[in-house]
Amino acid sequence: MSGHFAYFTYLCYTGLVAYMASSLIHTVLFWRRSTHVSFQSMPRTLQLFHWLLFESVVVFAMLVTPVFWAVLYDADTYVGGEHRWLNASVHAANLGCILVDVVAGSMVLSPHWIHPAILAFVVALYLALAYLNKAINGWFTYNFIDYDRHHWMVLVYAIGILAAVVLIYYIIYALQLVLDRLLPPKVSLSSPRPLSSDSDDDAEFKA
């Protein structure tokens, strides 16, 4: 297992890059055709995956960035220009990019409870991956999941992280509702969806 992709931070950053690349393609096609046809023409499964990818990069960026700077960052460890650039990219610029998308972009979070549940399940899978990394490579990616040091507190940390994922999700969802009231979109959360209205898992747009 690559040490790079053993870290949740880099997995999240890879997801952000994938989302931005996909969104760029749809944005260019929208500018050229003045319609959401590029998104609507995708299979519904891919539309849902794109929606979940958006939700994951938003929620995980809000989770990873403060945890890194408040808990994991050590000035004595991260020294030199390369580390400063890396930290600024994956622990600061990432959050800035996604905040711009949340405020000014067209995607919104789903009100359906299954979406934050899926994100929490993804985090649980990562915790399993972290212990698999320990079994294969002999080291933990993060100190707070080291059961040899923290014992039963690891379970408390894990539950807290999963709860934080759900809490962050609904905080962002509430923020988008407020933004819709302050800056009424052409297509709001309460308006008919731009996709067919016969499914609860269609993407919703603010503009």
Side-chain angles (χ1 to χ4, degrees), residues 142-164:
Y142 301 107
N143 174 65
F144 62 85
I145 61 174
D146 186 347
Y147 53 79
D148 291 330
R149 295 184 180 182
H150 303 289
H151 308 293
W152 62 270
M153 283 299 296
V154 171
L155 180 60
V156 176
Y157 296 148
I159 294 174
I161 291 172
L162 297 179

Side-chain angles (χ1 to χ4, degrees), residues 8 12 16 56-66 94-95 98:
F8 191 67
C12 294
L16 174 62
S56 69
V57 297
V58 171
V59 174
F60 294 162
M62 303 290 183
L63 174 68
V64 168
T65 303
N94 64 323
L95 183 59
I98 206 61

Side-chain angles (χ1 to χ4, degrees), residues 87-151:
N87 286 332
S89 298
V90 302
H91 296 120
N94 64 323
L95 183 59
C97 288
I98 206 61
L99 284 176
V100 170
D101 197 279
V102 167
V103 174
S106 59
M107 295 290 291
V108 296
L109 272 63
S110 169
H112 201 293
W113 65 268
I114 194 66
H115 286 242
I118 290 174
L119 299 186
F121 179 68
V122 169
V123 174
L125 286 180
Y126 172 75
L127 293 175
L129 177 66
Y131 286 103
L132 180 61
N133 176 73
K134 166 64 175 177
I136 295 175
N137 297 323
W139 49 273
F140 282 107
T141 48
Y142 301 107
N143 174 65
F144 62 85
I145 61 174
D146 186 347
Y147 53 79
D148 291 330
R149 295 184 180 182
H150 303 289
H151 308 293

